[in-house]
Amino acid sequence: MININYIIAIASGKGGVGKSTITANLALAMNVKGYKVGLLDADIYGYSQSTILNVKKKIFINKKKRIQPIPYYGIKAMSLGFIVKKQTKAIIGRGPIISKLLVDLFTNTNWGYLDYLFIDMPPGTGDIMLSISKSISVSGVIIITTPQDVSLLGAFKGINMFNKIKIPIIGLIENMSYYTCKSCGYSTSIFNNKYNNSLKKYKIKKIGCFALHKTLCDKKPILIAKPNSKISVFFKVIADIVDIKLKPQFRIGL
């Protein structure tokens, strides 16, 4: 029996926008708030959470033939990278097989009780997303994008899909929004970021913006490597926003 209060899918229209890095740090930030948190790497073809978390351990099966997730700084993590022998191993399979593999990873993992499960989704709007919407009761989705035309196009395709399959969109996080010069402190936008009118059209709020910053790509998530940094504090603020959006009773007085 799976006992999870809230399941949050983290999605993007294309790869390379920082979705997996943001997912890992958001899960850790929610754990800092005192919640029991799980992290499922659903990007079967491009699994990366084992690398982002820098975990070398392999999972084992308990006596009840359930997969034991890897404990990581208070969260429970599950990724195909904890199973395969080599991180460079390519997973080959058609949509229905991969979708079944993902659902099996979710249902056969011994999560125990969780307040939140964060699912690191594969990029795009393919079979896996539809399988998850049918097999897993997702509480809401967070869209990750860069303010770049190609990324935004994919993001809005995803927004349309989630609206059609009736999964609530918690909000949008913009990554690589700007770059700040270390020498002079001047910040400048890297890509086009004039899409706020489109967000208003879809009634979606931007719940966070992250600069292009190398510490987000260190060997450990920044919540662990530098827990008191400005970026870590910002992740905790976003975790607060997500918590409030999923718990309407907390909105009194806001």
Side-chain angles (χ1 to χ4, degrees):
M1 180 179 177
I2 294 175
N3 191 6
I4 302 172
N5 284 344
Y6 299 101
I7 298 176
I8 302 173
I10 312 292
S12 66
K14 66 182 290 294
V17 299
K19 168 182 57 64
S20 297
T21 299
I22 289 174
T23 304
N25 281 288
L26 270 181
L28 289 163
M30 195 65 81
N31 176 252
V32 169
K33 287 173 59 65
Y35 291 116
K36 295 185 181 299
V37 179
L39 170 59
L40 174 63
D41 189 349
D43 194 349
I44 301 298
Y45 292 118
Y47 54 89
S48 60
Q49 287 299 340
S50 52
T51 301
I52 290 171
L53 302 179
N54 195 25
V55 171
K56 308 298 182 185
K57 296 178 182 178
K58 299 300 178 183
I59 58 96
F60 69 94
I61 311 297
N62 65 17
K63 293 180 180 180
K64 295 182 179 180
K65 296 183 178 182
R66 304 276 319 271
I67 302 170
Q68 291 298 116
I70 298 294
Y72 182 84
Y73 288 92
I75 70 173
K76 297 177 180 178
M78 182 62 218
S79 171
L80 209 57
F82 301 148
I83 300 174
V84 298
K85 291 183 179 180
K86 292 183 178 180
Q87 296 298 297
T88 55
K89 180 179 175 60
I91 303 301
I92 300 172
R94 296 185 182 276
I97 297 173
I98 297 299
S99 296
K100 184 180 183 304
L101 174 59
L102 172 60
V103 173
D104 286 345
L105 280 178
F106 170 72
T107 56
N108 291 330
T109 296
N110 185 27
W111 298 109
Y113 169 79
L114 294 178
D115 294 299
Y116 284 96
L117 175 67
F118 287 84
I119 302 181
D120 180 7
M121 299 298 301
T125 55
D127 291 346
I128 292 179
M129 189 67 73
L130 295 175
S131 296
I132 283 182
S133 67
K134 291 180 180 179
S135 306
I136 300 173
S137 181
V138 177
S139 308
V141 62
I142 297 173
I143 306 291
I144 312 296
T145 186
T146 60
Q148 180 190 25
D149 290 342
V150 174
S151 180
L152 289 167
L153 179 62
F156 284 112
K157 285 180 180 177
I159 288 168
N160 280 320
M161 183 197 70
F162 288 118
N163 285 336
K164 285 183 179 179
I165 61 179
K166 296 181 180 179
I167 294 180
I169 298 174
I170 296 170
L172 179 142
I173 294 176
E174 182 181 293
N175 195 23
M176 307 179 200
S177 298
Y178 58 92
Y179 173 75
T180 301
C181 176
K182 282 187 175 181
S183 300
C184 66
Y186 179 75
S187 296
T188 182
S189 298
I190 302 171
F191 305 113
N192 165 42
N193 57 5
K194 298 177 181 178
Y195 62 97
N196 288 328
N197 287 336
S198 297
L199 289 179
K200 290 179 181 178
K201 174 185 174 183
Y202 287 100
K203 297 180 180 179
I204 294 172
K205 291 186 177 181
K206 193 185 296 185
I207 60 174
C209 291
F210 288 98
L212 182 63
H213 204 292
K214 70 176 183 178
T215 55
L216 277 173
C217 303
D218 282 344
K219 291 184 178 179
K220 283 185 178 181
I222 194 167
L223 256 292
I224 301 304
K226 298 180 180 179
N228 297 317
S229 67
K230 289 183 179 180
I231 299 177
S232 293
V233 171
F234 193 34
F235 270 116
K236 295 170 189 175
V237 170
I238 295 176
D240 285 335
I241 293 171
V242 173
D243 203 22
I244 291 171
K245 281 182 171 288
L246 288 178
K247 297 177 179 178
Q249 66 268 28
F250 290 162
R251 293 180 185 172
I252 299 172
L254 294 178

